[in-house]
Amino acid sequence: MHSICFQATGVPGSNYIFDSCSPALAISKPINLRFCGLRKEAFGFSGLTHSSSGRVHFSSRGHSKKVSASAESNGSPPKSFDYDLIIIGAGVGGHGAALHAVEKGLKTAIIEGDVVGGTCVNRGCVPSKALLAVSGKMRELQSEHHMKALGLQVSAAGYDRQGVADHANNLASKIQSNLTNSMKALGVDILTGVGTIVGPQKVKYGKVGFPDNIVTAKNIIIATGSVPFVPKGIEVDGKTVITSDHALKLESVPDWIAIVGSGYIGLEFSDVYTALGSEVTFIEALDQLMPGFDPEIGKLAQRVLINPRKIDYHTGVFATKITPAKDGKPVIIELIDAKTKEPKDTLEVDAALIATGRAPFTNGLGLENVNVVTQRGFVPVDERLRVIDTNGNLVPHLYCIGDANGKMMLAHAASAQGISVVEQVTGQGHVLNHLSIPAACFTHPEISMVGLTEPQAREKAQKEGFEVGVAKTSFKANTKALAENEGEGLAKLIYRPDNGEILGVHIFGLHAADLIHEASNAIALGTRIQDIKFAVHAHPTLSEVLDELFKSAKVKAAASSHGPGLSRNIMEEFTYKSKMIVVPEAFYNIVSSFVKLFSKAMQI
């Protein structure tokens, strides 16, 4: 007899529930996985089978992957543990995992060798948003046309550089304190020092000059994040040749700054520097600016964010050598053609910001002690974020989340991965759908996206044999945007006309970073366009941009006869009642199977 609690996913078309989640995979019954809106085929395998050796085989198209549950010979795992979970790295990912672990009743410790909050809070998304808040206000106050359209008269706008820098620093300090206090209040042990894996389920930590401490845990999560990537030939002095770490301190506002790289980091800093009076030159290795964005959105963003501002650019070139300013000489940048490698140009500027992306911070983790070798610095993991050793086998009880695994280098993705791992180690099978995780660039206006770009969707469609539909709506038709005099913007939906599946959504416009979550949640829950178009949005709000976008899609499939809510209600009712009673497991399995099948039928 068991006290049963059935957990419903509410995911249309998905009935994959993980029954037993032993990290060591010592499993004696079939495995079913919950895929959070993605069918199992989307992960490249069709199921799991067992061999007599106790290993698990992932069946896939044309090949199989062998996973071992046995520990390597690098020491024996302890018989008792100091903690249920140890997390190496107290950034946003580690913090999210720690809080969820405590909520699940796990005794948890987090090891941090630097400062709580990691890159995002101290040297990334938090202080940069403070600078961008200033640049947004400055840009608005400096636009005479914008002010006049609203009937406002403003004298010349100015700023205090140190005051702006203090605003960014104070915000980072406040958030860092909040994160620390939240973990302490919940009973998370914060262990200060550099964490190193010394064997199965064993970690040492300590400071230079002090004895090391060794702690053990049933499960370990690596969450060490990343650092700015600086290509060879570039000399960073922290003053005139800088990374984003230095730029966030805003120790100076140069008259002319070159930004190497036109991705998220480069675009956001171009917004800050131009608002504060700098001239900017982009240096981009690819043939177009903003190469990671949907091409149509990127083209519109360039027309609004680049062309009207004091920004010029060089595309299709590498900066092979950058020399800092010294002895009265400017920063010298040597450019070569990205394809022919022939010398192209030499620039002389006041400063250079290296925004060429980030590299995983995984050196010194002791991965060799568990037979793991990084790939370009990234820790290899499977779809459930379990670490893979050099033989292709799983390292028992060891996981890696966030920038260190390279799956999606975003702070909120790291947090989501951490929560997913905690779900697994507490017996709730969970695989995170990375296609449902949104991203945003906080320029003015903002850019946001989730899922596939149009070229990616068409490539997928060609391989799998389905059509792609595209729908668009303009901010110029939105009452709230026009009231704000911010009608410049576009929302784009990429979808399957045959079944209404949302493949991707891209937004450029006012508060795009906030608007994207309706689409990302729809993808995560597997909600189809034919159902979501009946959702009601308050008027007048910017959310109506998404409302009109979904309504404009031409879907051949009919809406669910009772809407997507009925099957979820049945699942929720069953979940609620199952918590209140004690039933035989066999009876529970029969009823839960019936509910899942009925729910799936209601989605068809």
Side-chain angles (χ1 to χ4, degrees):
M1 304 288 283
H2 301 275
S3 178
I4 302 297
C5 174
F6 178 72
Q7 294 193 338
T9 64
V11 181
S14 175
N15 64 341
Y16 299 95
I17 306 295
F18 190 74
D19 297 317
S20 176
C21 184
S22 168
L25 293 180
I27 302 168
S28 60
K29 57 181 177 179
I31 298 175
N32 293 313
L33 298 173
R34 179 173 63 197
F35 286 94
C36 295
L38 276 187
R39 297 186 179 185
K40 57 185 178 180
E41 289 82 2
F43 294 93
F45 61 89
S46 57
L48 301 177
T49 59
H50 297 267
S51 69
S52 58
S53 65
R55 295 189 174 190
V56 182
H57 297 267
F58 288 76
S59 301
S60 63
R61 296 185 183 94
H63 68 279
S64 63
K65 181 178 178 180
K66 189 177 292 184
V67 185
S68 174
S70 62
E72 295 296 329
S73 58
N74 296 307
S76 301
K79 295 180 180 180
S80 61
F81 302 98
D82 299 313
Y83 294 96
D84 296 314
L85 178 66
I86 288 177
I87 304 162
I88 306 175
V92 171
H95 175 265
L99 264 57
H100 195 58
V102 171
E103 181 184 331
K104 289 286 189 176
L106 301 183
K107 184 181 180 183
T108 304
I110 195 162
I111 300 173
E112 178 54 60
D114 188 12
V115 287
V116 171
T119 294
C120 175
V121 171
N122 300 285
R123 301 174 298 276
C125 41
V126 170
S128 69
K129 298 311 158 293
L131 297 183
L132 285 160
V134 172
S135 72
K137 299 295 184 185
M138 281 293 294
R139 202 170 294 285
E140 190 172 14
L141 293 171
Q142 290 170 343
S143 175
E144 183 179 349
H145 174 75
H146 179 74
M147 290 288 114
K148 187 176 180 180
L150 295 173
L152 299 176
Q153 296 179 352
V154 180
S155 58
Y159 68 92
D160 171 44
R161 182 198 58 78
Q162 189 57 53
V164 175
D166 289 344
H167 172 54
N169 183 62
N170 292 339
L171 177 63
S173 297
K174 182 177 181 179
I175 301 301
Q176 179 198 124
S177 177
N178 290 347
L179 294 184
T180 303
N181 292 337
S182 66
M183 289 193 291
K184 288 181 177 178
L186 291 173
V188 176
D189 287 348
I190 301 176
L191 310 178
T192 303
V194 177
T196 304
I197 297 168
V198 294
Q201 299 168 291
K202 295 179 184 178
V203 177
K204 73 175 181 179
Y205 71 95
K207 293 183 177 181
V208 177
F210 292 89
D212 289 331
N213 301 283
I214 293 182
V215 287
T216 61
K218 293 180 183 177
N219 293 284
I220 298 169
I221 297 177
I222 297 169
T224 48
S226 63
V227 294
F229 170 70
V230 179
K232 293 181 180 179
I234 297 177
E235 182 183 345
V236 174
D237 67 349
K239 298 294 182 181
T240 59
V241 180
I242 59 178
T243 67
S244 57
D245 286 0
H246 307 108
L248 289 167
K249 298 176 183 177
L250 202 70
E251 293 182 349
S252 67
V253 180
D255 292 333
W256 184 10
I257 184 168
I259 299 179
V260 184
S262 64
Y264 294 84
I265 299 171
L267 274 178
E268 290 186 352
F269 275 106
S270 76
D271 195 288
V272 171
Y273 281 120
T274 53
L276 299 182
S278 300
E279 293 185 26
V280 170
T281 296
F282 272 118
I283 298 171
E284 173 57 55
L286 298 180
D287 292 332
Q288 65 181 45
L289 294 176
M290 297 174 276
F293 298 88
D294 181 86
E296 187 172 10
I297 295 294
K299 185 177 180 181
L300 175 60
Q302 181 173 334
R303 182 170 67 80
V304 176
L305 301 176
I306 306 293
N307 297 346
R309 300 177 181 178
K310 295 180 179 180
I311 299 175
D312 66 350
Y313 51 88
H314 299 263
T315 57
V317 295
F318 285 128
T320 55
K321 186 176 181 180
I322 299 181
T323 305
K326 54 185 175 182
D327 300 329
K329 296 180 181 179
V331 174
I332 299 175
I333 304 175
E334 299 178 18
L335 304 178
I336 65 169
D337 188 281
K339 295 177 181 177
T340 66
K341 304 300 186 291
E342 294 180 357
K344 192 75 178 285
D345 203 352
T346 299
L347 302 179
E348 295 184 355
V349 296
D350 299 312
L353 167 62
I354 313 306
T356 47
R358 301 187 63 83
F361 183 61
T362 53
N363 289 335
L365 267 175
L367 293 171
E368 66 278 4
N369 295 324
V370 285
N371 196 32
V372 173
V373 176
T374 60
Q375 300 171 357
R376 295 181 299 110
F378 294 106
V379 178
V381 296
D382 69 355
E383 77 288 341
R384 292 175 60 200
L385 309 170
R386 299 174 295 188
V387 175
I388 301 172
D389 69 14
T390 55
N391 298 318
N393 299 328
L394 294 179
V395 180
H397 311 285
L398 183 61
Y399 301 80
C400 181
I401 65 172
D403 289 5
N405 68 34
K407 280 185 173 290
M408 202 171 196
M409 299 179 80
L410 297 168
H412 51 278
S415 182
Q417 290 176 359
I419 291 170
S420 179
V421 168
V422 172
E423 286 290 295
Q424 293 176 50
V425 302
T426 55
Q428 306 298 318
H430 188 276
V431 175
L432 182 64
N433 176 5
H434 285 83
L435 286 177
S436 71
I437 298 177
C441 185
F442 294 85
T443 48
H444 297 90
E446 296 172 344
I447 310 171
S448 64
M449 64 224 72
V450 65
L452 304 176
T453 63
E454 185 176 345
Q456 289 170 340
R458 294 198 181 280
E459 181 181 357
K460 179 181 175 68
Q462 187 174 11
K463 290 179 180 179
E464 299 182 13
F466 61 83
E467 294 181 4
V468 170
V470 175
K472 305 170 194 175
T473 55
S474 172
F475 278 64
K476 288 183 173 68
N478 181 266
T479 302
K480 184 66 182 297
L482 294 177
E484 299 275 354
N485 196 29
E486 296 281 0
E488 193 74 71
L490 174 73
K492 179 177 180 179
L493 168 66
I494 304 158
Y495 66 100
R496 287 185 58 164
D498 59 338
N499 62 10
E501 179 185 358
I502 300 171
L503 301 175
V505 173
H506 304 263
I507 308 172
F508 173 67
L510 182 65
H511 296 305
D514 298 309
L515 295 175
I516 196 65
H517 297 94
E518 181 172 359
S520 65
N521 289 337
I523 293 175
L525 296 172
T527 307
R528 303 299 170 118
I529 295 170
Q530 59 268 34
D531 291 322
I532 199 173
K533 70 179 183 179
F534 289 108
V536 179
H537 298 72
H539 175 77
T541 62
L542 292 172
S543 69
E544 290 176 294
V545 171
L546 273 295
D547 185 31
E548 293 300 322
L549 184 65
F550 292 129
K551 283 181 167 61
S552 65
K554 308 297 181 184
V555 179
K556 299 174 184 177
S560 301
S561 58
H562 298 282
L566 177 62
S567 58
R568 284 197 292 270
N569 289 339
I570 293 173
M571 300 285 247
E572 289 164 3
E573 180 72 8
F574 179 67
T575 302
Y576 171 76
K577 289 186 177 179
S578 67
K579 291 179 181 179
M580 302 297 104
I581 59 175
V582 177
V583 297
E585 184 172 1
F587 174 77
Y588 165 75
N589 289 336
I590 294 172
V591 175
S592 63
S593 297
F594 171 77
V595 172
K596 286 185 286 183
L597 289 172
F598 181 76
S599 300
K600 185 175 182 180
M602 295 303 298
Q603 309 286 340
I604 298 175

